[in-house]
Amino acid sequence: FMKPSEKIIELLDARDNLNNRQRDHGRPLKPQVLQPPLESAKLGLKLGGGFEILNGWDFGSEPWLIEIGDNVRITSGVRFVTHDGGVWVLRHKYSELSDIDLFGKIRIGNNVHIGFNAIIMPGVTIGDNCIIGCGTIVTHDIPANSIVVGVPGRVIESIGEYAAKHDDDFMHTKKMATDEKKAFVLAI
């Protein structure tokens, strides 16, 4: 039997090898969705239904500390950090702390979108109906119905405010075929 850490390394290596092969052949990367229950069980993730996890995910060294709700989209480059690496310094400075670790569970609510290259830090809970902007570093809990951006992440508006602000901008194209969508958008 493999240790859980060896299984994680094997799965992450397979993911990286696939991504590198696709890049080497000059083809664009196609979204890869983590498929439950096999892959999520190998990682120890707790996943809800209706999720989408795209290329380049990184659930860190303790993925079993991560809970993801229903209808969650995790885009490329998102990283989950479940431990505080700063204890490295304490281990070497104080002999009585030579064997310490500091962990924090990460909980993602239902109906959440996490943008490209966001980083979710240890001990964070993200409420339901949230949008986490690209490149955001989430260092503290995020209340439900929030839009969060920045470093560190901060709430800039509510979901309701976001919807109202863009009401005149929305295009009902999600169910269109690619060519139909392209023609529609270019005609504007």
Side-chain angles (χ1 to χ4, degrees), residues 72-111:
V72 173
R73 174 192 251 179
I74 299 170
T75 59
S76 298
V78 172
R79 303 185 86 150
F80 293 83
V81 181
T82 54
H83 66 276
D84 184 340
V87 298
W88 171 269
V89 174
L90 299 177
R91 285 186 207 130
H92 293 88
K93 181 167 177 63
Y94 304 106
S95 61
E96 68 273 16
L97 301 179
S98 64
D99 63 346
I100 64 166
D101 282 308
L102 183 57
F103 300 104
K105 285 187 175 185
I106 295 173
R107 294 177 182 90
I108 310 298
N110 298 315
N111 199 35

Side-chain angles (χ1 to χ4, degrees), residues 165-176:
K165 179 171 78 175
H166 291 289
D167 189 50
D168 293 335
D169 304 322
F170 293 133
M171 295 180 208
H172 296 272
T173 60
K174 187 62 181 170
K175 296 180 182 176
M176 290 182 181

Side-chain angles (χ1 to χ4, degrees), residues 95-165:
S95 61
E96 68 273 16
L97 301 179
S98 64
D99 63 346
I100 64 166
D101 282 308
L102 183 57
F103 300 104
K105 285 187 175 185
I106 295 173
R107 294 177 182 90
I108 310 298
N110 298 315
N111 199 35
V112 173
H113 171 87
I114 305 176
F116 295 112
N117 298 315
I119 300 173
I120 315 301
M121 298 300 288
V124 165
T125 296
I126 297 174
D128 295 343
N129 304 307
C130 287
I131 298 172
I132 308 300
C134 297
T136 297
I137 299 180
V138 182
T139 60
H140 60 277
D141 290 353
I142 304 300
N145 302 302
S146 298
I147 309 287
V148 178
V149 299
V151 178
R154 64 182 178 83
V155 175
I156 60 165
E157 62 190 350
S158 71
I159 289 290
E161 291 166 330
Y162 172 76
K165 179 171 78 175

